[in-house]
Amino acid sequence: MTQLGWLSACANLSYYAQAVDGHFNVIHRAQPISTVIANPDIDPKLKDSLTMVMQLREFASQELKLPDNLSYTRYADLERPFVVWNVFASPELSLKLKEWCFVQIGCVNYRGFFSQAKAERYAEELRQKGYDVHVGGIRAYSTLGWFSDPVLNTFIGYSEANLARLIFHELAHQIVYVSGDTAFNESFATAVEHEGVRRWFEKNGTAFEQTALSAQQERETIFTSLIFKHRKRLQELFHSNISDSEKRVSKVRIFNELRNEFLHLKAEKSEFGSYDRWFGQTLNNALLATVSIYTQLLPAFQGILKQHDQDMQRFFDAVIKISKLPKHERNSVLQQAVEDNQQWNVVER
């Protein structure tokens, strides 16, 4: 998750101040992982996790060709569960996320706060204006290499697989960043995390761990397909010619059917209970749109990786080249990559 909107002078002063204070509080709390590990009073679980981070960090640079810098070589305990809270908003009858634009990075589809209370107050202002709003706690963010991003207590307790995914994802943001194209940036980083974790367990994992990883990725694919199925239905509804009042009634019905379909899926396969927390939130346009940010273009980037024989450096070079194209040309290249990827998948089966 990139989180640089707060660097812009265009933001109002109070927002700018909370963001700068929040970020430098994170930096101030960070200390070298080697120092933390050397402390004889360190919790053994924390020591093991930080040792794992050091191994993942080396793997990221050596095997995945991700930036070899000081990011994720320091540790900070923020004494809270999330580092920032992001506010997402969509119009009541649209799936298009509201954008906030900044001088340095263009437009992004969220606004981040280092205080949950401030995020919730801002979210309520948007609700009063008629927006569907989602406030999500974020466990990590990338400064795109402007600063050395530390490891945080907010995610250090993750499983080995999820810890690897997060580190590979955030480091990927330092490779390429397209101003004003959140879906491109996040889908690219998601492709890197998927490939990185696959390679990590292929090299370091047991057969059981590799099987568990495959099962997890299959669940994610099913979950995403379920969301996209109902997102498409909403898109068609919002573009239809019926009245707004009829759209509102149908919107409620579609969300209810989404929830019921999930419950049916979970009844058949109990492992989908891992998505209970997601479905425990208020289902609305903004929440559904956040899923597409991370996966909308994933098949395209997976196709580009295949085009380059799974070679990470060639993949990165190709993506950087694509990122410099005008948006309509960029989208055309990505669409072709999706079609190629679909054809390869059929052949591989």
Side-chain angles (χ1 to χ4, degrees):
M1 166 69 74
T2 51
Q3 183 67 39
L4 280 175
W6 48 268
L7 290 173
S8 171
C10 289
N12 60 60
L13 289 179
S14 61
Y15 178 73
Y16 180 82
Q18 68 85 28
V20 171
D21 288 346
H23 176 69
F24 281 103
N25 177 58
V26 172
I27 298 301
H28 176 72
R29 287 173 176 262
Q31 55 182 315
I33 288 179
S34 57
T35 300
V36 179
I37 290 177
N39 184 345
D41 298 324
I42 184 176
D43 184 316
K45 290 184 179 179
L46 176 58
K47 182 176 181 178
D48 289 344
S49 295
L50 290 175
T51 300
M52 176 63 66
V53 167
M54 295 174 68
Q55 295 168 353
L56 289 167
R57 189 65 188 82
E58 182 177 6
F59 181 87
S61 299
Q62 298 298 318
E63 303 292 334
L64 302 179
K65 310 304 179 185
L66 289 166
D68 187 3
N69 53 31
L70 294 178
S71 290
Y72 305 109
T73 63
R74 298 170 67 83
Y75 174 71
D77 185 349
L78 307 182
E79 300 179 339
R80 60 178 189 262
F82 301 104
V83 58
V84 292
W85 287 263
N86 280 354
V87 177
F88 302 87
S90 294
E92 181 189 12
L93 299 177
S94 170
L95 291 171
K96 183 176 176 58
L97 284 170
K98 177 177 172 60
E99 294 183 331
W100 288 268
C101 298
F102 306 95
V103 171
Q104 297 292 338
I105 61 168
C107 301
V108 293
N109 297 122
Y110 49 83
R111 191 165 188 177
F113 295 82
F114 282 86
S115 161
Q116 183 178 12
K118 290 180 179 179
E120 294 290 356
R121 283 198 295 271
Y122 186 67
E124 186 56 33
E125 291 177 15
L126 293 172
R127 292 188 187 99
Q128 292 301 318
K129 295 178 181 179
Y131 285 97
D132 276 15
V133 181
H134 169 64
V135 179
I138 306 300
R139 297 185 184 275
Y141 64 86
S142 172
T143 58
L144 307 181
W146 292 22
F147 298 90
S148 297
D149 299 323
V151 177
L152 303 174
N153 70 291
T154 55
F155 62 82
I156 194 59
Y158 276 4
S159 67
E160 180 179 342
N162 288 336
L163 195 57
R165 293 177 64 165
L166 185 145
I167 290 174
F168 300 157
H169 183 106
E170 300 303 340
L171 285 172
H173 284 310
Q174 298 183 21
I175 294 287
V176 62
Y177 178 82
V178 178
S179 176
D181 199 337
T182 303
F184 183 98
N185 299 325
E186 296 297 346
S187 295
F188 163 69
T190 299
V192 173
E193 81 173 54
H194 280 205
E195 180 65 13
V197 174
R198 183 189 68 77
R199 294 189 187 195
W200 169 262
F201 281 102
E202 187 176 80
K203 183 174 182 178
N204 302 287
T206 64
F208 175 80
E209 289 172 327
Q210 292 182 54
T211 300
L213 177 64
S214 296
Q216 179 183 349
Q217 292 179 337
E218 182 179 355
R219 286 195 298 274
E220 290 174 358
T221 299
I222 294 172
F223 166 74
T224 302
S225 297
L226 175 63
I227 298 303
F228 276 29
K229 170 186 173 181
H230 292 275
R231 186 178 187 275
K232 181 180 180 181
R233 295 178 64 203
L234 286 167
Q235 192 80 282
E236 293 171 349
L237 170 67
F238 296 151
H239 283 93
S240 69
N241 294 322
I242 63 176
S243 68
D244 286 355
S245 59
E246 290 175 301
K247 288 179 180 179
R248 292 186 181 98
V249 171
S250 295
K251 173 185 171 182
V252 172
R253 186 186 71 251
I254 290 173
F255 276 119
N256 286 336
E257 290 171 355
L258 167 59
R259 191 183 298 280
N260 288 336
E261 190 167 341
F262 164 70
L263 292 174
H264 179 72
L265 177 64
K266 189 177 70 168
E268 292 184 338
K269 300 180 179 180
S270 61
E271 59 270 26
F272 279 90
S274 59
Y275 289 100
D276 280 344
R277 180 175 295 182
W278 194 90
F279 279 94
Q281 303 174 99
T282 299
L283 299 184
N284 62 27
N285 298 347
L287 180 60
L288 255 64
T290 62
V291 176
S292 66
I293 285 176
Y294 290 89
T295 56
Q296 179 180 337
L297 301 174
L298 178 58
F301 288 110
Q302 290 174 329
I304 294 169
L305 183 58
K306 286 183 180 179
Q307 288 173 5
H308 294 86
D309 302 318
Q310 310 298 123
D311 184 299
M312 296 303 289
Q313 190 57 63
R314 290 172 57 201
F315 170 59
F316 292 153
D317 291 343
V319 173
I320 290 171
K321 184 176 180 180
I322 293 169
S323 74
K324 299 178 189 284
L325 296 173
K327 188 165 186 177
H328 70 281
E329 293 183 28
R330 190 164 69 239
N331 289 341
S332 178
V333 172
L334 294 174
Q335 180 57 42
Q336 184 60 54
V338 170
E339 295 172 4
D340 291 343
N341 191 29
Q342 290 172 341
Q343 293 175 1
W344 283 321
N345 287 339
V346 170
V347 171
E348 288 172 357
R349 292 193 189 99

